[in-house]
Amino acid sequence: GIVSLPGSKSISNRALLLASFCDGSTTVRNVLESEDTEVMINALNRLGVDININKEQHTCHIVGNSQLHNAKNPNSEHLFLEMGNAGTVIRPLTAMLSFGEGKYVLDGVKRMRERPIYDLVQSLQQLGCGVTCINGFPPVTIDTNVRYTHAPPLHVLHTEPLLISDTKGPSGNQVNISGNISSQYLSSLLMAAPLAQSDITIHLNSPLNSAPYIDLTLQVMKAFGVSVIVKPNKTSFFIRKDEVYHSPRGEYVYFLALGAICGGPITVVGCGTTSIQGDKHFGTILEKMGAHVQWGENNITVSSPQKGCRLKGIDVDCSDIPDAAMTLAVVALFAKGTTTLRNIGSWRLKECDRLKAMVTELNKLQQRHNIGKNHIPCDENEDNDEKIAEKIAVEGFDCLTIHPPPLGSDGFPLMTTRVSINTYQDHRMAMCFSLIACTKVRVTIQDPDCTKKTFPSFFKELNRITTHTNIEPSTHDLT
């Protein structure tokens, strides 16, 4: 038989936590629906993190905050956070909040008060964090205005009071932690370390149990942009002070698409063969369409097909990359043959009805006076059986079919020379249609500021890596 397994609690809670400590937004897919993840989500909500849950799609959309604290009144009484019996919540959250701002009490059910946390608390005190517990067990009390200056056994380099304006938390350079009681202690320190003011080296003072969980922690941290230097046999871990969590966004697909349609090569760093971001499969689809794709562990390079070749249309299931599929619809304009994107019914439930919106805006690109005419090939090796369709885009119940215009003598599709794109206050509409401006079409993007939701610098990045963009200058600041 076939068994469909739910998402992982360990991955879900790590991803939810790190996404909350990023500036910007992150969508986490296949989130486990469980008591422990519910405890994490409720605690993050209490801290002011905006989390939108879609139970049908098993996703969480998190709008992060790089300095979590009691935003309403950080100097008020301690903010109470209910931890239930979730060790995967209280331990990492204790470490992360200890490096932030504010006052907190983390407590749970009776059994939680019987689960040790002293080793983690002692290690945090070594780093100067103002964190205490009762006889080695929860409840845990955090006051980031308190600094430990004589916490044995290691000397803390900086002992001045923590300033509210600081972007980093307590300092320290060396810390010991046990590895044989719970791997969650080490995972918690690792995830909190990038919030410190200095480089941190974590030493294990006992053999490491559950090493695969540490590998998992390191992999999730890497997905959020943080690298850890690991000594052989995992006896010590080094984290640089300039490491910063970034949302593992799918916005890189726009630049991969640009490489496929406008020559390239374009290299995107931060995604690759080791990435856990689902949108990396976008590169695989571009490959199937004929683009030249080079894969690295942490980078992808894309360029157009070799001279004399074109991208080719594709029939593809987009259920794993629904957001990236919007950009694929634009790439399809440059392909030879029909492209059909399937299983994208979720588009109708996004920031706008994306399926209807994509059809409307794609069809604005049609050269109306050429509908039904045979295309005159610009290359003697190109067949001349392409007839300009009445509509570029045709909407299905949960699919989208694109009939691309034939290519002109300049190598670009025969489209209208000027178009105004309505974004429907949807950031992805703005970004994917902006790629067309890298051809001879002059594009006006209505409400370009909607890109601030996920990628505020998108237009500056697009302008930086292209020789020209035909976006109306009155619409954005491209300097």
Side-chain angles (χ1 to χ4, degrees):
I2 299 175
V3 178
S4 179
L5 297 176
S8 161
K9 176 189 72 174
S10 298
I11 295 177
S12 295
N13 272 345
R14 285 166 171 80
L16 289 169
L17 185 63
L18 298 191
S20 298
F21 278 80
C22 294
D23 284 326
S25 61
T26 304
T27 297
V28 182
R29 298 190 179 97
N30 198 29
V31 175
L32 177 66
E33 193 174 335
S34 70
E35 289 183 358
D36 280 16
T37 52
E38 184 178 355
V39 168
M40 177 66 86
I41 290 170
N42 289 340
L44 294 171
N45 282 151
R46 287 271 288 158
L47 291 165
V49 180
D50 183 10
I51 301 179
N52 183 22
I53 304 170
N54 188 321
K55 291 189 175 182
E56 290 185 0
Q57 298 181 24
H58 302 287
T59 62
C60 285
H61 184 79
I62 303 109
V63 180
N65 175 5
S66 60
Q67 293 189 71
L68 289 184
H69 58 280
N70 185 2
K72 293 182 179 179
N73 186 359
N75 294 316
S76 66
E77 294 299 315
H78 289 74
L79 179 67
F80 178 80
L81 299 174
E82 172 59 51
M83 298 286 100
N85 193 26
T88 59
V89 182
I90 191 172
R91 288 159 178 169
L93 203 53
T94 291
M96 300 290 274
L97 292 178
S98 294
F99 284 84
E101 301 170 357
K103 303 175 183 179
Y104 312 92
V105 173
L106 288 70
D107 198 6
V109 299
K110 180 181 177 181
R111 175 57 184 161
M112 175 61 82
R113 291 188 170 193
E114 298 171 350
R115 301 178 66 179
I117 199 169
Y118 176 70
D119 283 50
L120 175 61
V121 168
Q122 185 185 49
S123 295
L124 290 168
Q125 289 176 352
Q126 291 175 30
L127 297 171
C129 298
V131 54
T132 59
C133 59
I134 298 177
N135 297 322
F137 299 90
V140 174
T141 300
I142 300 169
D143 185 345
T144 57
N145 292 313
V146 175
R147 300 296 296 275
Y148 279 83
T149 60
H150 302 291
L154 297 176
H155 175 61
V156 179
L157 295 181
H158 302 286
T159 58
E160 66 275 8
L162 180 65
L163 300 177
I164 294 299
S165 60
D166 284 349
T167 58
K168 294 276 189 173
S171 304
N173 64 342
Q174 304 276 329
V175 61
N176 286 334
I177 188 76
S178 62
N180 62 346
I181 298 177
S182 173
S183 62
Q184 290 177 13
Y185 296 157
L186 175 57
S187 286
S188 300
L189 275 182
L190 286 168
M191 289 189 285
L195 305 181
Q197 290 177 335
S198 64
D199 298 344
I200 285 184
T201 302
I202 304 171
H203 299 285
L204 289 183
N205 55 22
S206 59
L208 177 62
N209 286 344
S210 304
Y213 282 106
I214 301 304
D215 294 333
L216 179 62
T217 297
L218 296 173
Q219 185 181 11
V220 176
M221 291 175 67
K222 187 173 183 180
F224 282 86
V226 169
S227 296
V228 179
I229 299 174
V230 183
K231 197 170 183 179
N233 299 322
K234 296 184 175 67
T235 55
S236 68
F237 303 80
F238 178 72
I239 303 95
R240 298 186 185 279
K241 66 179 179 181
D242 55 358
E243 293 285 352
V244 178
Y245 287 121
H246 298 285
S247 172
R249 302 175 301 198
E251 276 68 28
Y252 58 78
V253 300
Y254 306 109
F255 301 102
L256 297 181
L258 195 62
I261 64 181
C262 290
I266 292 179
T267 299
V268 176
V269 178
C271 59
T273 56
T274 60
S275 173
I276 65 173
Q277 178 78 355
D279 286 350
K280 70 179 181 180
H281 299 304
F282 186 84
T284 302
I285 295 174
L286 291 179
E287 222 166 10
K288 291 179 179 178
M289 296 181 74
H292 183 59
V293 181
Q294 294 177 291
W295 296 84
E297 286 189 1
N298 195 42
N299 61 80
I300 304 175
T301 301
V302 177
S303 53
S304 299
Q306 61 185 16
K307 190 175 181 180
C309 298
R310 287 178 59 181
L311 294 170
K312 55 180 181 289
I314 190 172
D315 191 314
V316 59
D317 181 345
C318 297
S319 56
D320 287 338
I321 56 163
D323 292 336
M326 295 176 67
T327 306
L328 202 58
V330 173
V331 174
L333 295 171
F334 297 80
K336 179 178 174 61
T338 299
T339 289
T340 300
L341 311 178
R342 302 190 185 277
N343 293 321
I344 53 173
S346 62
W347 280 12
R348 300 187 188 277
L349 307 174
K350 299 290 187 175
E351 282 81 347
C352 66
D353 183 341
R354 286 177 172 172
L355 196 47
K356 188 176 293 295
M358 287 296 291
V359 169
T360 300
E361 304 308 310
L362 284 168
N363 284 329
K364 287 181 180 179
L365 298 167
Q366 181 67 278
Q367 282 188 340
R368 307 305 301 175
H369 62 280
N370 282 330
I371 291 175
K373 296 181 181 179
N374 285 321
H375 161 53
I376 300 175
C378 58
D379 190 308
E380 62 180 7
N381 296 319
E382 183 182 354
D383 56 38
N384 62 355
D385 60 354
E386 290 186 273
K387 184 170 287 188
I388 298 177
E390 183 176 350
K391 291 184 178 181
I392 289 177
V394 179
E395 173 185 353
F397 174 70
D398 67 346
C399 65
L400 174 64
T401 299
I402 298 98
H403 302 285
L407 294 187
S409 58
D410 59 359
F412 290 121
L414 292 170
M415 298 185 289
T416 185
T417 58
R418 183 183 292 268
V419 67
S420 177
I421 298 296
N422 187 357
T423 60
Y424 308 85
Q425 297 181 320
D426 188 331
H427 55 124
R428 294 192 185 278
M429 290 290 293
M431 291 188 281
C432 68
F433 276 97
S434 295
L435 302 181
I436 297 168
C438 298
T439 68
K440 291 188 175 181
V441 180
R442 193 159 190 84
V443 179
T444 299
I445 301 293
Q446 302 295 337
D447 187 25
D449 285 345
C450 64
T451 60
K452 290 180 179 179
K453 178 175 181 179
T454 54
F455 200 164
S457 62
F458 172 77
F459 291 107
K460 289 184 179 180
E461 285 297 312
L462 182 64
N463 188 60
R464 185 179 65 81
I465 66 171
T466 56
T467 55
H468 77 281
T469 51
N470 285 318
I471 299 178
E472 288 291 343
S474 60
T475 352
H476 322 238
D477 175 14
L478 293 177
T479 58

